[in-house]
Structure formats: structure tokens, C-alpha cells
């Protein structure tokens, strides 16, 4: 099982802060995962509509959308950051 | 060996106490650059900012950035504190203290750290207005991204 965590408006649109999912072997990269999640319902589709702007961290490190998800324990999806 | 202090916390921080702490660590410090980021009132319209963060990664990402700064500049001490939760106009949000033997390293490291933190540290701000409306999530600014990218070409 892989833990998915959502922040800010990604969390609000999906309607939950985190969940555990079983990653199908056909989901190889972050981009595959985002496409898959979009099909899970309206909230996901709204959150991930502009897929390119979604930032992703695997095991708490930033990754690009072509990164493999196979060894991920924790994948976080969030908007561009606005700290500081 | 330079000293690194990182805190991600809900509570406010005391800038004077943090300065005294970093100064006491090393007697060869000639310069400490202090950057503090505060919550604006947006011309009297803002009631509060709600700062969300990614616990664990926030600290880890700040640490990665701090270690990079310590490789690039001869720092004798570095303190980075970032708050989360609800902050009001005038409240502190972030503190950077960069200590070095000379000022240039301290100024440059503090500037680098802020440009990096704004773009890579997992924090998000939501605005709440005085009239009770939810201002939504603050959008990332392209000028912050430009400021971040300029360090790659130096």
C-alpha cells in the first residue's frame, strides 16, 4: 500500500488529507498516477485538472512528473509552495 | 564546524533571543544578517493568514537548503525558523539568521535561503479577510520563481 497525502487546495478539492491505495503495476510514473487519480471522481478531477502545475514529493523529496513511483511509501501532491 | 538550528513551529519566536543564541556560539562572528518575514494586513483587509505545512518534509527541505547554503558560503552559524498555523497582521512568519566572519557571505546566504524556501519549502498560505470572506490560497508568484532560478546561474 502507498500513502497519498494532499495539501492546500489539492486537499480541499479531493476532500481528504490522505489515503492509502494499492498502486496497479501499470502505474509506473508520477504522471501515470495523476492520470489514474483523475478518473477516481469529480473531486480528483477538479484538483488535478491542470496536471502540470501539481507539485509532487516522494518519500518527502521533490520529484518531477517522470519519476518512478514503484518504491514510494509516501507520495504527496500539492500546489506550488507559498511559504516564507 | 558551523552551527545549524532549524525549527518549524506554531509559536512565535523571539528575534533578540535567537540573535543572542547564535552570537554566543562563536567568538569569531563578524556579521549576522537577520531576515524576518511578517504577515501584512493587505491595506487593512486581511484578518489572518492560515499557514499549512507538510510535517516532516518541511524540516527536511529546510535542512537540505541550509546544507547547500553552508557549502556555498563560509557560515559560522545559521538559524532558520518557520511558523505554521494562524498568524495575524504584524506577526512573525519566518526568521533567517546567517552568521559569518564577514558580511558578504551572511547577506548572500540569507538572500539565497529565502529565495529557496519560498519555492521549495512545503508551506502554503490561505487568506482570511476582515469582512469574513475566505480569500483563498495565495498563488505562487513568478517573481519568486525568477529569484529562485537566478541562483542556478551564479
Amino acid at each position: 500500500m502507498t500513502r497519498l497525502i494532499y495539501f492546500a487546495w489539492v486537499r480541499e478539492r479531493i476532500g481528504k488529507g490522505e489515503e492509502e491505495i494499492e498502486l496497479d503495476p501499470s502505474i509506473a510514473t508520477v504522471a501515470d498516477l495523476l492520470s489514474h487519480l483523475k478518473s477516481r471522481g469529480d473531486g480528483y478531477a477538479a484538483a488535478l485538472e491542470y496536471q502540470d502545475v501539481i507539485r509532487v514529493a516522494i518519500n518527502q523529496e521533490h520529484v518531477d512528473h517522470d519519476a518512478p513511483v514503484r518504491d514510494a511509501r509516501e507520495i504527496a501532491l500539492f500546489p506550488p509552495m507559498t511559504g516564507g | 564546524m558551523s552551527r545549524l538550528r532549524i525549527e518549524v513551529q506554531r509559536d512565535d519566536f523571539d528575534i533578540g533571543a535567537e540573535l543572542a543564541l547564535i552570537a554566543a556560539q562563536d567568538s569569531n562572528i563578524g556579521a549576522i544578517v537577520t531576515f524576518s518575514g511578517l504577515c501584512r494586513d493587505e491595506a487593512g483587509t486581511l484578518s489572518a493568514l492560515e499557514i499549512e505545512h507538510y510535517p516532516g518534509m518541511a524540516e527536511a527541505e529546510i535542512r537540505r537548503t541550509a546544507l547547500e547554503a553552508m557549502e556555498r558560503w563560509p557560515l559560522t552559524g545559521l538559524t532558520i525558523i518557520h511558523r505554521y498555523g494562524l498568524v495575524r497582521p504584524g506577526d512573525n512568519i519566518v526568521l533567517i539568521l546567517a552568521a559569518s566572519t564577514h558580511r558578504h557571505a551572511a547577506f548572500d546566504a540569507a538572500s539565497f535561503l529565502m529565495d529557496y524556501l519560498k519555492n521549495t519549502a512545503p508551506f502554503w498560505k490561505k487568506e482570511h479577510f476582515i469582512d469574513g470572506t475566505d480569500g483563498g490560497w495565495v498563488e505562487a508568484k513568478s517573481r519568486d520563481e525568477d529569484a529562485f532560478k537566478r541562483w542556478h546561474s551564479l
Side-chain angles (χ1 to χ4, degrees), chain A residues 7-50:
Chain A
F7 291 100
W9 52 255
V10 174
R11 170 178 56 71
E12 289 181 342
R13 289 176 193 175
I14 288 176
K16 57 182 128 180
E18 60 177 272
E19 62 187 316
E20 300 261 332
I21 71 161
E22 193 75 58
L23 286 183
D24 187 90
S26 67
I27 300 171
T29 65
V30 166
D32 294 341
L33 173 66
L34 295 177
S35 300
H36 165 72
L37 289 174
K38 274 201 250 187
S39 69
R40 282 168 66 103
D42 291 347
Y44 292 91
L48 307 175
E49 181 182 3
Y50 302 102

Side-chain angles (χ1 to χ4, degrees), chain B residues 7 11 17 35 54 70 75 100 103 109 112 145 150 152:
Chain B
E7 296 290 341
D11 294 338
F35 173 85
Y54 184 172
M70 289 158 80
L75 302 176
S100 188
R103 72 182 184 283
F112 165 89
E145 197 181 344
R150 82 193 154 101
H152 298 280

